[in-house]
Amino acid sequence: MAITLYDFELSGNCYKLRLLMSILKLRYDIVPVDFYPGRQHKADWFLRLNPFGQLPVLKDDDLTLSDSGAILAYLARKYDDTGLWFPDDPAITAEVLRWHAVADDITSTASAARLALGFFYDFDVAKAQKGAHRIFRLMDEHLWFGEREGRDWLCGPAHPTTADIACFPYVMLSEEGGISRQDYPALRRWTDRVRRIPGFTVMSGVFPAGRALEEA
Amino acid sequence: MTLSLSDPTWYPIASSEDLPYRHVYQGQLLGRELAVWRADDGNVNVWENRCLHRGVRLSIGINEGGELKCQYHGWRYANRSAGCTYIPAHPADAPARRIQNRTYPVREAYGLIWSSANDQQAFRPFAGAEGHDWFALRPMPVNAAPEDVLAALVGLAPDDQPADLLPGLAVRFGGTYYFVQPVDAGRAVIRGLLRERPADPVAALRHYNELLSKLRDRLERSASRKPAPEPLQPAYDKVSADLATMPDIAIPRGNTVTVVVKRKWTSADGVIGFELAARDGHLPTFQPGAHIDLHLPNGMTRQYSITNGPGELMSYIIGVKQESASKGGSKVLVETVREGDLLSISEPRNNFPLRRDATRTVLIAGGIGITPLLSMARFLDKSALPYELHYFTRAGETTAFRSELEALHGKVIFHTGLPRSEIGTTIAAALGQWSMAQHVYVCGPGPMLETVRATATAQGWPDESIHFEYFKNDKIIDSSSSFDVELARSAMTLHVPSGKSIMEVMREAGLTVPSSCEQGACGTCLTTVIEGEVDHQDVYLNDSEKRANSCMMTCVSRAKSARLVLDI
């Protein structure tokens, strides 16, 4: 097995894969892609890998994959011996994929606002921020009731899944897009829990959490 | 109604459930952002959400249980006082000045955390608060003016149950109470309380959540049709240059604090523990290694190390050795001071600061010298930093603070009743060869200190890596010399005759000179030397500091040259 990640260091979508591979203790090579300012993800050589012109791309031997959510599912199914990260259960699979879709909505809102403010993309910042707040409100409510009902993660199982990995980066980076998380206390507490998953790793703008009391 | 930055009303700012251990909650009241965190002792801290150093939000910092660490440059602030306990850019120094974050009043009651913009009003429970098992609803943030939110809540009242307006943006109907937290001019949080815990709590929470979500949507639709109110503009005080730089020496503060002896107990054979509690609120910030001056009923002053861990400011715990050769200090404490007595102490001072950037920290204690090292071990323990604590005692019965030491997670080794010949080899083995970023801290009887210093030096430990604190100066002071001191800043030249100290001569000349132990052990009278050769007789400075000839202790040290010029 030889995994290669086509990666941009500041991309939250690439970080999702680095995060899961760190948790699963997978070794991989990195090919840096200059997303900004080089726009290499629109270069011919990259479009041959992914005609949609989006990061990340992951190669596993001869297999070439794109879309962060799809790759998370692939890595979990193939390399997670515990079967916990993408559980083989119809109802839970549906639940996880539902949140993968939310993760894409977070990308099109919170990440878009960050690209506009930090990478000079010509996006409607106010609209992107408003869209992110709408999603964060729903996530906060979902996670707040989860705490009351004994559920710590986005999906039903008593452990995190790829749904949590997929939604985490652009929630955590939202302030770079001018989106405060002050009104979402349960969402903030969930980011503490994600950051305490064994094998967690950081990226620029994502800070580590301290240890939980029970680990202290 | 216009919101005022100086409104003294207490408002709820969070639910108790919002503050699990080791989390930092981000809040806001009347335009001021807040970092809110619960320490491991349960205490809730409400601080300005801004590190004094570079203004970064403390709500992204790390709650370590007793201290909050800023995510940016690692400045640490203590539970309760918000005083700075450590600055990583100055690892060898104690942050001696009053670097203290802005704190706000706080009270945890009825399932909510309450705070106010200032301390002009004492906390008063709302009418009918007492005697119920309050149940907090899910808080509902609303992007609308707080007064509009209150008006809308009043409109929720059923026809047969008129709304009862309470002071402080609150309304009640029947057993349902709503408090409006004025976040800013155009933002609020609705915090609901039910007087009784419902039979099906989750169903009730969902019901009220739906009701308030609809109310929020209505309010936000109507707010979006109006011009947004101007946000409140709280003023943030600039950090003074005085606070942002480290002092060259630890300047004694001279303030005293009255404490009550809350507990007095026998910790070990010949060692009495004293718990000295604040009469009101908490005691001042201290750092590991710090000591207090205790002013005894007989007029004497003695120094005792604080044994506490991080953020433990409700009382200081000290250990006092009942020495037969006592000059009367510990004897008075042990024999006449009782629980309930009042004592006067100085603010904590730290001549024995602990670095928290070492790859290996070795703590070596002899007898009562365990006290500052217990505090150090507790700080390192809380931050999960590695350390080894070697505690030498004559016999098991004289091992003080044993249960406290056994509660630690680090490597704690008790060396009990070793013959003199084995102490040296045990110390040598405990130290090992020095390598980068290793530090040893030693506190104990004079001969033991000398052994550790000599052994460490022989095994390659540089002076900067050997840290010690003398409780007393056993050396015989030679005061036979006579010389002149020129006080540069006071524009005065004094003659110091044999038999008198520089300090005594300065006092006779009318100068105020800070001092504490007056035997060259505590560092209080440290003075900068401008010219002349010093005859060091103290045990406070280490050998390289003495060789540098740049500072001295005026209580015992003298001149080898005919004239000394001091920066006084």
Side-chain angles (χ1 to χ4, degrees):
Chain A
M1 134 209 154
I3 302 176
T4 303
L5 174 66
Y6 291 78
D7 180 63
F8 178 59
E9 192 180 331
L10 301 180
S11 157
N13 280 327
C14 295
Y15 168 57
K16 291 173 191 178
L17 305 188
R18 282 181 258 134
L19 180 50
L20 185 64
M21 289 195 283
S22 169
I23 292 167
L24 296 179
K25 300 191 173 73
L26 296 180
R27 296 175 68 100
Y28 59 97
D29 293 322
I30 280 183
V31 174
V33 179
D34 184 12
F35 171 89
Y36 182 87
R39 287 182 60 79
Q40 277 184 359
H41 59 302
K42 302 297 180 192
D44 290 344
W45 70 270
F46 189 83
L47 290 173
R48 277 179 220 120
L49 289 169
N50 178 11
F52 288 92
Q54 289 171 333
L55 284 165
V57 163
L58 183 129
K59 275 173 80 168
D60 193 1
D61 290 331
D62 296 332
L63 186 66
T64 303
L65 299 169
S66 58
D67 182 81
S68 60
I71 301 170
L72 286 176
Y74 169 80
L75 290 171
R77 275 287 162 86
K78 180 146 187 201
Y79 295 110
D80 169 27
D81 298 334
T82 66
L84 298 176
W85 286 97
F86 198 87
D88 188 13
D89 170 281
I92 300 170
T93 301
E95 211 186 344
V96 171
L97 291 178
R98 203 272 157 273
W99 285 102
H100 277 205
V102 174
D104 290 338
D105 291 342
I106 298 171
T107 300
S108 63
T109 54
S111 167
R114 174 172 173 263
L115 288 177
L117 294 181
F119 300 78
F120 311 107
Y121 271 65
D122 186 21
F123 291 148
D124 182 340
V125 180
K127 190 175 163 221
Q129 290 173 337
K130 199 176 162 196
H133 279 297
R134 181 180 160 273
I135 299 168
F136 287 3
R137 265 190 180 170
L138 292 166
M139 287 181 83
D140 186 72
E141 185 175 57
H142 176 70
L143 289 163
W144 194 90
F145 280 101
E147 290 176 344
R148 294 301 161 296
E149 291 159 355
R151 174 175 50 73
D152 276 348
W153 309 99
L154 290 173
C155 298
H159 54 78
T161 62
T162 57
D164 299 285
I165 305 291
C167 291
F168 172 76
Y170 288 121
V171 167
M172 203 65 212
L173 293 166
S174 73
E175 273 164 351
E176 294 185 8
I179 302 150
S180 164
R181 295 188 295 282
Q182 191 192 97
D183 284 344
Y184 315 113
L187 185 68
R188 291 186 79 253
R189 290 192 287 275
W190 168 77
T191 65
D192 275 12
R193 294 195 286 274
V194 173
R195 288 181 293 156
R196 285 171 181 154
I197 293 172
F200 177 80
T201 187
V202 295
M203 70 168 275
S204 299
V206 174
F207 305 110
R211 289 165 311 139
L213 182 60
E214 51 274 18
E215 298 162 6
Chain B
M1 179 199 136
T2 328
L3 295 181
S4 159
L5 283 169
S6 54
D7 177 1
T9 311
W10 286 75
Y11 294 105
I13 55 153
S15 299
S16 289
E17 292 160 336
D18 280 325
L19 306 178
Y21 292 113
R22 305 301 178 103
H23 174 72
V24 189
Y25 175 89
Q26 184 182 10
Q28 190 168 328
L29 180 65
L30 294 164
R32 294 179 184 91
E33 257 201 50
L34 307 170
V36 186
W37 62 286
R38 188 188 295 282
D40 288 357
D41 65 2
N43 180 55
V44 175
N45 295 282
V46 180
W47 297 355
E48 185 173 290
N49 193 13
R50 202 173 70 105
C51 178
L52 283 175
H53 178 221
R54 294 282 180 192
V56 164
R57 285 192 172 96
L58 290 173
S59 58
I60 65 166
I62 292 177
N63 172 354
E64 278 202 348
E67 294 170 315
L68 183 70
K69 183 175 136 186
C70 177
Q71 194 74 255
Y72 201 21
H73 297 103
W75 284 36
R76 288 165 176 276
Y77 300 95
N79 173 35
R80 295 185 194 270
S81 68
C84 182
T85 52
Y86 188 67
I87 298 175
H90 300 278
D93 301 305
R97 302 198 190 172
R98 290 173 172 277
I99 304 176
Q100 191 158 306
N101 217 306
R102 170 84 195 265
T103 63
Y104 292 97
V106 58
R107 186 66 70 92
E108 183 168 16
Y110 324 116
L112 299 175
I113 309 297
W114 305 76
S115 186
S116 65
N118 51 56
D119 50 13
Q120 285 167 24
Q121 259 180 30
F123 177 80
R124 270 201 315 272
F126 56 90
E130 299 304 334
H132 299 283
D133 183 17
W134 292 96
F135 182 76
L137 301 178
R138 176 169 179 249
M140 183 62 61
V142 187
N143 292 313
E147 59 270 27
D148 294 346
V149 176
L150 183 69
L153 285 166
V154 169
L156 285 182
D159 294 341
D160 58 343
Q161 215 160 39
D164 182 8
L165 277 171
L166 306 174
L169 294 173
V171 62
R172 170 187 85 96
F173 19 94
T176 310
Y177 288 66
Y178 292 112
F179 299 87
V180 177
Q181 171 191 350
V183 173
D184 209 327
R187 294 164 61 209
V189 181
I190 302 169
R191 299 195 178 272
L193 287 181
L194 303 184
R195 197 157 53 195
E196 262 107 49
R197 195 179 168 78
D200 184 344
V202 175
L205 289 169
R206 290 210 180 264
H207 165 76
Y208 281 98
N209 186 57
E210 203 175 310
L211 181 83
L212 294 177
S213 297
K214 284 183 180 147
L215 185 84
R216 174 194 68 195
D217 294 347
R218 277 208 311 278
L219 277 161
E220 292 191 346
R221 271 196 303 275
S222 110
S224 67
R225 288 193 292 268
K226 293 195 279 192
E230 197 57 35
L232 295 171
Q233 301 289 341
Y236 294 108
D237 300 330
K238 273 223 171 92
V239 180
S240 67
D242 192 43
L243 285 187
T245 51
M246 290 297 296
D248 295 331
I249 54 167
I251 304 201
R253 297 178 182 130
N255 291 347
T256 59
V257 182
T258 304
V259 290
V260 58
V261 179
K262 194 173 166 194
R263 197 159 64 99
K264 175 186 176 186
W265 73 102
T266 304
S267 174
D269 197 10
V271 179
I272 310 297
F274 284 85
E275 181 177 359
L276 310 174
R279 281 194 303 173
D280 187 25
H282 61 77
L283 292 167
T285 315
F286 68 94
Q287 300 113 23
H291 68 267
I292 48 167
D293 293 346
L294 190 64
H295 302 288
L296 296 164
N298 64 354
M300 296 180 94
T301 299
R302 283 287 173 275
Q303 280 84 38
Y304 296 99
S305 295
I306 298 171
T307 63
N308 298 35
E312 295 174 0
L313 296 186
M314 293 311 284
S315 58
Y316 298 144
I317 292 175
I318 59 169
V320 178
K321 188 179 177 186
Q322 188 172 17
E323 282 168 294
S324 45
S326 172
K327 278 199 285 177
S330 55
K331 195 175 155 76
V332 169
L333 253 180
V334 169
E335 288 176 6
T336 70
V337 173
R338 291 165 304 176
E339 286 182 3
D341 285 358
L342 296 181
L343 289 172
S344 181
I345 62 171
S346 69
E347 290 194 20
R349 213 169 22 235
N350 196 358
N351 298 331
F352 197 26
L354 171 71
R355 297 181 70 115
R356 301 197 218 177
D357 60 349
T359 54
R360 177 168 174 249
T361 302
V362 183
L363 309 172
I364 300 179
I368 193 63
I370 187 65
T371 52
L373 301 183
L374 172 58
S375 177
M376 289 182 180
R378 283 171 156 163
F379 274 76
L380 295 169
D381 213 66
K382 206 79 163 176
S383 297
L385 294 169
Y387 65 91
E388 299 138 47
L389 169 57
H390 295 267
Y391 183 13
F392 292 82
T393 49
R394 285 204 186 90
E397 308 81 69
T398 62
T399 305
F401 300 104
R402 184 183 277 277
S403 58
E404 291 86 341
L405 290 162
E406 282 169 348
L408 297 169
H409 302 86
K411 205 167 155 190
V412 180
I413 304 124
F414 296 93
H415 302 282
T416 310
L418 288 189
R420 197 169 289 257
S421 57
E422 274 176 44
I423 293 178
T425 50
T426 308
I427 286 173
L431 283 167
Q433 285 296 316
W434 182 79
S435 71
M436 269 286 282
Q438 296 196 0
H439 290 268
V440 60
Y441 298 80
V442 55
C443 189
M448 180 181 184
L449 255 60
E450 293 307 330
T451 306
V452 171
R453 289 173 70 180
T455 310
T457 304
Q459 293 181 183
W461 292 67
D463 279 357
E464 315 83 77
S465 68
I466 309 167
H467 309 265
F468 52 88
E469 183 180 49
Y470 280 96
F471 279 129
K472 59 181 181 197
N473 189 353
D474 287 333
K475 293 181 183 167
I476 295 157
I477 307 297
D478 175 6
S479 59
S480 58
S481 59
S482 70
F483 52 94
D484 285 343
V485 280
E486 192 179 319
L487 307 177
R489 273 197 264 179
S490 314
M492 176 185 291
T493 301
L494 303 172
H495 179 71
V496 182
S498 64
K500 269 193 180 168
S501 69
I502 301 176
M503 180 179 282
E504 285 167 332
V505 172
M506 290 194 291
R507 283 187 174 152
E508 282 169 12
L511 292 162
T512 309
V513 187
S515 74
S516 183
C517 75
E518 302 195 8
Q519 48 173 298
C522 76
T524 307
C525 64
L526 186 80
T527 302
T528 300
V529 178
I530 297 170
E531 226 180 283
E533 197 186 343
V534 183
D535 171 21
H536 293 288
Q537 303 201 42
D538 64 281
V539 288
Y540 177 76
L541 299 173
N542 66 25
D543 288 344
S544 53
E545 286 166 335
K546 283 176 182 167
R547 277 196 303 274
N549 199 53
S550 61
C551 54
M552 71 179 295
M553 303 297 150
T554 58
C555 63
V556 290
S557 296
R558 307 180 69 82
K560 285 182 182 163
S561 50
R563 193 177 71 115
L564 270 184
V565 184
L566 302 180
D567 186 23
I568 285 182

